[in-house]
Amino acid sequence: MFIGAQVSLYPMTSDFEQVILSGLKALDPYRDRLRIETDDMSTLFVGASAPLFDALRDLFARAAQQPPHVTMHVTLSRGCPGEPDDPSCRCETLSQAQDQTLAERQTLATEAVQAAPVLGVEIDVQFSLYVLGRDRHMDEIYGCIDFLKASGTFLRSKNFCTRLRGDAGAVFEAVRQAFLRFGPAEGHVTIDLTASANSPTLR
Amino acid sequence: MFIGAQVSLYPMTSDFEQVILSGLKALDPYRDRLRIETDDMSTLFVGASAPLFDALRDLFARAAQQPPHVTMHVTLSRGCPGEPDDPSCRCETLSQAQDQTLAERQTLATEAVQAAPVLGVEIDVQFSLYVLGRDRHMDEIYGCIDFLKASGTFLRSKNFCTRLRGDAGAVFEAVRQAFLRFGPAEGHVTIDLTASANSPTLR
């Protein structure tokens, strides 16, 4: 299994480099458990889902605590057939999901969101979950959307994606559960995610 | 068939709203051929691939002609089983692709990039092509990557995505060809794309 993300932070301010550098400090607690490599367009995270999603959450929450409008784009992937197996990405949730029904996975996902920490940072997210290389992929997508609607973070459906809104703790936990518990445990699953905070449109 | 995109423009300047409004003027020639709806996170485009990709290209090229660092994120989708059929999205390229071999589609895609207009705006793009709901989806992905490598816009492969660089005309044509000519013509295909211009990292 190979799990990772390409991550980009976009502060809408002329001082954007300062906001990015400040946000990157939030990654320090995770650097020993994630491979992190930056180029001019995005930063690669590779590792297990626990530090991976916690790092995404803390990076964005840190940036959102500053006044400027800020967004983050994340391309998440697990099980891509073109990537090598990486022992650091091993995931108990995925191993267990193989023997669980859709209803069981929906219940476990909802419980995980209810247990998420409260960060005190309100954010918006929209994302698409893609289940690749499998017939009837929409069954898992619709099952995931049903979970999201009951998660307490659901805002509304849009063309091609789902909008979430809430505390950064619950919202990123909802996305982690969508990523891990829907689609085949050993299959190729990806997410296209955008987070937003401090939008002037919402003020 | 339903074809569309969720589009967000991110100018890294405190004057970001002015750059966005200026960029949106580039959409005026396309408004009679596309459905365009904006909310606080993204703008929905629905319509045929000809005006759709031309509009994306012109929107980003206009924004990139101003000095600030600017990025654009696009979630593209065709053939999603959850979306209604829309006659305005009808696409000759897709209809013809049904009877063409992978090699024929690669040749036609390369010719289209060679015929693309030159806009005089250098941009960077990274994107992922997802072929959903079909076994052996990686054959089409690898076929698409072979086309990109020969397209004149290829920069390098990254984890989970492919980097392109070049004139906005050729780069957006390469993405349009990837979107239309790879994956089943009547299937569900999506793209997760980020464009970037004027990055301080590259100066």
Side-chain angles (χ1 to χ4, degrees):
Chain A
M1 178 61 69
F2 191 89
I3 300 181
Q6 293 285 0
V7 186
S8 302
L9 198 61
Y10 303 128
M12 257 60 76
T13 165
S14 303
D15 203 19
F16 65 94
E17 287 162 311
Q18 180 273 325
V19 177
I20 292 173
L21 292 173
S22 167
L24 289 176
K25 285 190 194 129
L27 298 182
D28 288 345
Y30 304 104
R31 287 188 184 275
D32 59 341
R33 285 172 291 161
L34 294 174
R35 178 152 68 89
I36 300 179
E37 297 169 6
T38 296
D39 70 17
D40 58 295
M41 281 196 71
S42 57
T43 296
L44 174 70
F45 292 13
V46 176
S49 65
L52 177 62
F53 278 85
D54 289 356
L56 292 173
R57 176 196 67 201
D58 291 358
L59 170 62
F60 190 66
R62 178 76 62 98
Q65 282 171 309
Q66 301 195 46
H69 177 30
V70 61
T71 65
M72 180 170 78
H73 177 254
V74 187
T75 301
L76 282 149
S77 172
R78 66 170 169 90
C80 176
E83 306 281 359
D85 186 54
D86 188 322
S88 77
C89 300
R90 194 170 171 281
C91 176
E92 283 293 323
T93 305
L94 277 174
S95 310
Q96 293 161 359
Q98 283 184 302
D99 303 318
Q100 293 163 342
T101 64
L102 180 59
E104 287 168 336
R105 290 180 277 131
Q106 287 171 324
T107 300
L108 290 165
T110 304
E111 288 170 359
V113 176
Q114 287 164 350
V118 176
L119 273 70
V121 180
E122 289 287 309
I123 67 167
D124 280 85
V125 155
Q126 70 186 29
F127 79 107
S128 312
L129 177 76
Y130 300 126
V131 177
L132 294 109
R134 175 168 155 162
D135 292 344
R136 299 186 56 75
H137 66 295
M138 295 302 288
D139 292 355
E140 290 287 320
I141 304 294
Y142 292 135
C144 180
I145 290 171
D146 286 342
F147 146 65
L148 292 169
K149 285 183 174 170
S151 71
T153 64
F154 183 81
L155 182 67
R156 64 189 174 89
S157 295
K158 291 177 62 166
N159 292 94
F160 320 133
C161 58
T162 299
R163 274 288 296 267
L164 307 182
R165 177 175 287 172
D167 186 84
V171 168
F172 275 98
E173 190 59 55
V175 177
R176 170 163 37 203
Q177 296 299 317
F179 184 63
L180 295 178
R181 296 204 196 263
F182 300 89
E186 294 299 314
H188 183 190
V189 172
T190 69
I191 278 181
D192 172 351
L193 175 144
T194 300
S196 174
N198 310 326
S199 168
T201 314
L202 296 178
R203 274 175 203 151
Chain B
M1 177 62 67
F2 191 90
I3 300 181
Q6 293 285 0
V7 186
S8 303
L9 197 61
Y10 303 127
M12 257 60 78
T13 166
S14 303
D15 202 20
F16 64 95
E17 287 163 311
Q18 180 275 323
V19 177
I20 292 174
L21 291 173
S22 167
L24 289 176
K25 286 191 194 129
L27 298 182
D28 288 345
Y30 304 104
R31 287 187 185 275
D32 59 340
R33 284 172 293 160
L34 295 174
R35 177 152 68 90
I36 300 179
E37 297 169 7
T38 296
D39 70 16
D40 58 295
M41 282 196 70
S42 58
T43 295
L44 174 70
F45 292 13
V46 176
S49 66
L52 178 62
F53 278 85
D54 289 356
L56 291 174
R57 176 196 67 201
D58 291 358
L59 169 63
F60 190 67
R62 177 77 63 99
Q65 281 170 311
Q66 301 195 45
H69 178 31
V70 61
T71 65
M72 179 171 77
H73 177 254
V74 187
T75 301
L76 282 150
S77 172
R78 66 169 169 90
C80 176
E83 305 281 359
D85 187 53
D86 188 324
S88 77
C89 300
R90 194 170 173 282
C91 176
E92 284 293 324
T93 305
L94 277 174
S95 309
Q96 292 161 1
Q98 282 185 304
D99 303 318
Q100 293 163 343
T101 66
L102 180 59
E104 286 169 335
R105 289 180 277 131
Q106 288 170 325
T107 300
L108 290 166
T110 304
E111 289 170 358
V113 176
Q114 287 164 349
V118 176
L119 272 69
V121 180
E122 288 288 308
I123 66 167
D124 280 84
V125 155
Q126 69 186 30
F127 80 107
S128 311
L129 178 74
Y130 300 126
V131 177
L132 294 110
R134 176 169 155 162
D135 292 344
R136 298 186 59 75
H137 68 291
M138 294 303 287
D139 292 356
E140 290 286 320
I141 304 293
Y142 291 136
C144 180
I145 291 172
D146 286 342
F147 146 66
L148 292 169
K149 285 184 174 171
S151 71
T153 64
F154 182 82
L155 182 67
R156 64 190 175 86
S157 295
K158 291 176 64 165
N159 292 96
F160 321 131
C161 58
T162 299
R163 274 290 295 266
L164 307 182
R165 177 176 287 171
D167 186 84
V171 168
F172 275 98
E173 191 59 54
V175 178
R176 169 161 40 202
Q177 296 299 317
F179 183 64
L180 295 178
R181 295 201 196 266
F182 300 89
E186 294 299 314
H188 183 189
V189 171
T190 69
I191 278 181
D192 172 351
L193 175 145
T194 300
S196 173
N198 310 326
S199 168
T201 314
L202 296 178
R203 274 173 201 153

